[in-house]
Amino acid sequence: MSVVPAIESVPASSRWPWLAEFLAGEWRAWIFVGKSLLAIYLAAWLAMWLQLEQPSTTMITVSIVMHPHSGMVLAKSFYRAIGTLAGSLFGLALMSLFPQQRELFLLSLSLWVGLCAGGATLYRNFMSYGFVLAGYTAAIVTLPAINNPLDVFDSAVMRVSEVLLGILVAAVVSDLVWPERLRLLLRQNAQAQFNVFIDFVRESTAGNMPREQMEHANLALARAAVRLEDMRASVIFEDPEVHARSTRMRLLNQRYMAAATSFQSLHHLINRLQRGGSPSVADALIALYRPLGDALSPALAQQHQSVVLAARLDECVVQLPAQVAALRAPLSEPLAQLEFDTGAALLQRFVMELRDFATLEGSLREAQVRGSVEKVHFKRSNDIPGALVSVLRTFLTMGALSAFWLASGWPFGAGAMLLATVFSGLLAASPNPLSATTHTLLGYVAGMLGAFLVVYVLLPGSNDFAWLIGASAGFMLIGPYLSTRDTLPGVGPGYTLGFVNILALKNPMVYDPAHFLNDGVAQVAGLALAGTAFILLPSVIGSSWQRTRQFRRLREQAVLAATAPLEGLAWRFESLVRDLFQQVVTYTRPGSDESRSMLAWALAVLESGRTMIELRQQLAADSKIAPAVRDTATAAMHAIARLYQAPDAARWRKADAAVHAAIATAAEQPLRLPLYQLRSALRDDESPFATYIPPPSPESVHAA
């Protein structure tokens, strides 16, 4: 039977790719909206069936916890549950200490909420939710019972029950209804990170990479490392298999960062040799580098297969010593030999790290995890002074509201304090809290108006839960849908919170327009006061003051490399530098002088810090090193640490002299190689130390 080829029509998605992308985005958005509505109404029905006092609290919990990815929901739920329990216990303790002393009670509550807001700023990801909830729950447990302290225990039990029910419903719906698994996204990101790095290394084997290209590459590498750790921290909640692979994922990220630092150091050295009048040495290192490119260039279909690449890299490691000896032989001058030996050691280290990286990546693709691996952690750099500013701001906000409440006897002061508590914590970690407050306030007011129409126009006369859904669903879905739009950050969550708060489902339902208006005014006032506090005491996140301190902390990581205990130092150094680098660059204008200075310092810190760690490991491993050699090498590292701590020309000269003395003392020992790399980095005319480097003289050109 003959087959006649048909003329296939061109799909619309290929003719209008923007339309296909739009439809795919809308499909994902409406799936999220549908899941959110299902979870919110299911939670409300269960709360009413269980005779809980305020189903609206359960609905608010669901709206805050819901996320398109199930792993994110579980992570938020975990920290939210911990925060709820901690806040409830603190609220009970506080009420038992000050049952009839309102002033001391509100003062202590304000301090607790301030500390929780500081914790929300200090910790990132969904851990911040735990702190926000710890402050918010203490307020919702105690403030309604402030006139009758004997009811505080019942209030705590009820609020915890409502919140935990919302957490449970959100987790079940997210995990069972069209689940979008975060682990798949993590796997894709890890694979993309591996592929991009391998391609980048393969294409760079010519050995000549401009400084600007290396700076941008380092920025991309830092972002990829931080993003992978953020995602891994959420995925471990999704299923046991991912949790079992979590240790390997952490180690994979650390091996990625270690290989990236060695790669950067090697290219910097080659580029310095090309600029500094040693082209023969640079050419020899480039020739030594090319076999790595061959190892990373199997058949096209295998170029990203980690098992294949790991085997080829292992062969490259075995062959490198013979190639090093062959390329070193024509170099007769001692300085040229030292330069070549330093580069060859770096290349050998890089190839071994790349092999280990590919091997571990391959083990993660296996269906079953076998054996155990080294336990490492991604160390974060938290900004304590910035958190203290958040503590002070929130404490003053809550203190001012408390004083006004006590002085005026405002019946709805508790509502204002609750909203101020929530948004003081949520907005504390925002890079632009004023903008976030404005968007949230607009959404909140719109949600209140929608709730007013539902409660006083559509709901009266209804007699079952189906009528409630029919009356409110059209208004309710606006919030989740707006949450999927990046162009209106904060408006969607604000709308949902305003709508559910003012809808105020209760057992039984109450219709009181006067209460509605007073409660709405109080809630808007609390939110507005929380935003006003950011005007009076601005956030430090992204400020020049914070960037200056983080910039200083970045340089001080070189001090950490030179002086901190060696155990676990390598992974702590790599992760701290990249986390700090990512924090500062996020709030720095791309292409600005500040951004370029930051990139240059990050590269310098990574190169010098990693080299000092390697040098210290050699000193610790070889007990036969002469005391004089050990002392001069240690003195050189301390001089470099002091230079990074407070850079100036005098300290640069002392560091340069100390390293030169250590090289001379080390004679022909292996310690000369990392010491020479340190001196080469100090004399890099494209580094931040370029202004301190004196003009070359005939004597300095031939100095070892």
Side-chain angles (χ1 to χ4, degrees):
M1 179 173 111
S2 62
V3 178
V4 179
I7 300 175
E8 298 181 355
S9 60
V10 180
S13 59
S14 63
R15 289 181 297 196
W16 300 299
W18 62 269
L19 179 60
E21 184 178 351
F22 172 77
L23 292 176
E26 286 297 300
W27 172 250
R28 289 192 296 269
W30 283 105
I31 285 180
F32 173 66
V33 170
K35 291 170 64 174
S36 297
L37 291 184
L38 174 62
I40 288 172
Y41 285 117
L42 178 59
W45 181 83
L46 287 172
M48 289 180 171
W49 180 67
L50 294 171
Q51 297 296 307
L52 301 181
E53 289 179 359
Q54 296 181 10
S56 58
T57 302
T58 305
M59 297 168 74
I60 290 171
T61 299
V62 173
S63 67
I64 293 177
V65 168
M66 284 301 290
H67 191 279
H69 293 103
S70 58
M72 296 293 191
V73 174
L74 296 173
K76 291 170 74 173
S77 299
F78 174 78
Y79 291 115
R80 187 176 173 89
I82 291 177
T84 298
L85 294 173
S88 300
L89 292 174
F90 182 82
L92 289 173
L94 196 60
M95 187 61 81
S96 66
L97 288 173
F98 308 111
Q100 296 181 3
Q101 292 84 27
R102 285 191 175 188
E103 293 80 4
L104 292 176
F105 167 77
L106 291 174
L107 180 67
S108 302
L109 180 63
S110 298
L111 180 59
W112 169 255
V113 173
L115 291 172
C116 290
T121 305
L122 192 62
Y123 293 92
R124 278 159 282 165
N125 302 327
F126 298 122
M127 291 180 68
S128 64
Y129 276 98
F131 286 96
V132 173
L133 262 294
Y136 174 59
T137 307
I140 66 171
V141 164
T142 57
L143 290 178
I146 194 170
N147 293 322
N148 192 355
L150 296 178
D151 291 342
V152 70
F153 181 78
D154 293 337
S155 176
V157 172
M158 193 60 67
R159 295 298 86 74
V160 170
S161 301
E162 291 161 356
V163 169
L164 293 183
L165 175 62
I167 289 172
L168 178 62
V169 171
V172 170
V173 171
S174 180
D175 202 53
L176 296 182
V177 181
W178 271 316
E180 190 169 345
R181 300 298 182 192
L182 188 61
R183 67 172 179 268
L184 300 178
L185 186 61
L186 174 65
R187 182 66 259 170
Q188 291 170 2
N189 274 266
Q191 181 65 55
Q193 177 178 313
F194 178 80
N195 295 349
V196 168
F197 187 56
I198 292 297
D199 292 341
F200 188 54
V201 173
R202 184 190 303 114
E203 293 165 4
S204 67
T205 51
N208 186 13
M209 183 177 294
R211 186 81 172 202
E212 185 176 357
Q213 185 179 355
M214 180 59 76
E215 289 173 352
H216 289 301
N218 189 54
L219 174 58
L221 295 173
R223 285 175 172 164
V226 175
R227 183 173 60 248
L228 194 69
E229 172 58 20
D230 288 344
M231 202 174 295
R232 183 209 61 80
S234 297
V235 171
I236 60 174
F237 294 94
E238 200 169 70
D239 62 34
E241 182 185 356
V242 174
H243 184 74
R245 296 172 184 264
S246 178
T247 302
R248 275 179 163 78
M249 288 298 302
R250 278 178 166 168
L251 183 59
L252 181 74
N253 210 12
Q254 291 297 331
R255 288 185 175 174
Y256 166 69
M257 290 187 288
T261 301
S262 297
F263 172 78
Q264 165 210 311
S265 300
L266 175 62
H267 272 274
H268 282 180
L269 180 63
I270 293 175
N271 291 345
R272 287 193 292 263
L273 292 171
Q274 290 173 329
R275 296 193 309 270
S278 299
S280 59
V281 179
D283 291 343
L285 288 175
I286 292 171
L288 184 62
Y289 196 3
R290 288 198 183 102
L292 173 60
D294 296 335
L296 296 177
S297 302
L300 188 61
Q302 298 178 325
Q303 286 191 353
H304 295 144
Q305 292 184 11
S306 49
V307 176
V308 174
L309 294 177
R312 293 171 67 93
L313 287 168
D314 198 40
E315 294 177 6
C316 186
V317 169
V318 174
Q319 297 168 1
L320 269 178
Q323 295 168 339
V324 168
L327 290 168
R328 188 182 191 275
L331 303 174
S332 56
E333 295 184 6
L335 177 58
Q337 292 177 348
L338 177 59
E339 292 170 338
F340 178 81
D341 290 343
T342 303
L346 268 175
L347 179 60
Q348 288 174 300
R349 186 181 82 189
F350 174 54
V351 174
M352 288 188 286
E353 289 171 344
L354 200 58
R355 176 201 59 191
D356 294 342
F357 177 46
T359 301
L360 187 59
E361 161 69 19
S363 73
L364 277 168
R365 298 192 192 187
E366 295 177 358
Q368 185 175 0
V369 176
R370 297 183 179 86
S372 59
V373 295
E374 177 189 1
K375 290 186 177 180
V376 298
H377 299 280
F378 192 98
K379 188 72 173 175
R380 299 285 192 174
S381 177
N382 294 320
D383 184 27
I384 294 177
L388 293 177
V389 172
S390 295
V391 172
L392 178 62
R393 181 196 307 110
T394 306
F395 174 73
L396 293 177
T397 303
M398 301 305 296
L401 264 176
S402 300
F404 178 76
W405 187 16
L406 291 173
S408 64
W410 187 17
F412 293 87
M417 289 198 67
L418 284 176
L419 263 292
T421 300
V422 173
F423 287 101
S424 292
L426 286 176
L427 300 176
S430 172
N432 191 345
L434 291 179
S435 175
T437 302
T438 302
H439 289 154
T440 304
L441 184 59
L442 289 173
Y444 201 91
V445 172
M448 289 171 55
L449 295 176
F452 179 84
L453 292 175
V454 171
V455 173
Y456 296 103
V457 177
L458 301 179
L459 273 185
S462 62
N463 55 10
D464 57 21
F465 195 76
W467 187 276
L468 168 67
I469 296 176
S472 61
F475 291 92
M476 182 79 78
L477 62 83
I478 295 174
Y481 181 76
L482 291 177
S483 298
T484 65
R485 306 294 94 179
D486 295 334
T487 53
L488 297 170
V491 175
Y495 178 93
T496 304
L497 287 176
F499 185 86
V500 175
N501 251 335
I502 298 301
L503 185 64
L505 292 184
K506 292 182 175 65
N507 267 331
M509 189 63 180
V510 177
Y511 297 94
D512 186 350
H515 186 280
F516 166 86
L517 292 174
N518 282 287
D519 197 23
V521 169
Q523 292 181 24
V524 170
L527 176 54
L529 183 60
T532 303
F534 286 97
I535 299 176
L536 302 176
L537 195 58
S539 174
V540 301
I541 297 177
S543 65
S544 59
W545 179 63
Q546 186 192 48
R547 289 199 303 272
T548 300
R549 289 184 296 103
Q550 290 176 329
F551 198 5
R552 184 171 62 251
R553 285 205 66 193
L554 176 65
R555 296 198 314 267
E556 287 174 352
Q557 298 315 303
V559 182
L560 176 82
T563 59
L566 269 178
E567 185 177 359
L569 179 58
W571 58 259
R572 279 189 292 138
F573 170 78
E574 293 280 2
S575 54
L576 273 170
V577 171
R578 283 175 172 81
D579 188 53
L580 273 167
F581 177 56
Q582 167 72 359
Q583 288 182 54
V584 182
V585 165
T586 299
Y587 305 108
T588 306
R589 185 168 57 84
S592 63
D593 291 341
E594 185 181 26
S595 176
R596 288 193 57 82
S597 175
M598 182 52 158
L599 288 165
W601 276 108
L603 293 176
V605 169
L606 278 170
E607 182 174 5
S608 297
R610 177 66 185 279
T611 304
M612 287 191 287
I613 292 173
E614 295 285 336
L615 179 57
R616 291 180 63 197
Q617 288 172 342
Q618 290 186 31
L619 290 170
D622 191 350
S623 59
K624 297 180 180 179
I625 296 176
V629 175
R630 189 180 298 275
D631 291 343
T632 55
T634 303
M637 287 188 286
H638 287 174
I640 291 175
R642 287 190 292 272
L643 171 64
Y644 275 94
Q645 198 166 28
D648 60 30
R651 293 193 179 202
W652 181 89
R653 287 193 296 270
K654 290 179 181 178
D656 186 63
V659 176
H660 179 70
I663 293 172
T665 306
E668 297 300 323
Q669 297 185 42
L671 287 178
R672 291 190 80 196
L673 305 184
L675 285 168
Y676 179 78
Q677 186 183 347
L678 285 173
R679 190 165 192 242
S680 177
L682 284 174
R683 291 182 162 267
D684 187 343
D685 59 359
E686 290 187 351
S687 76
F689 302 124
T691 57
Y692 307 144
I693 303 173
S697 61
E699 292 79 8
S700 63
V701 170
H702 298 287

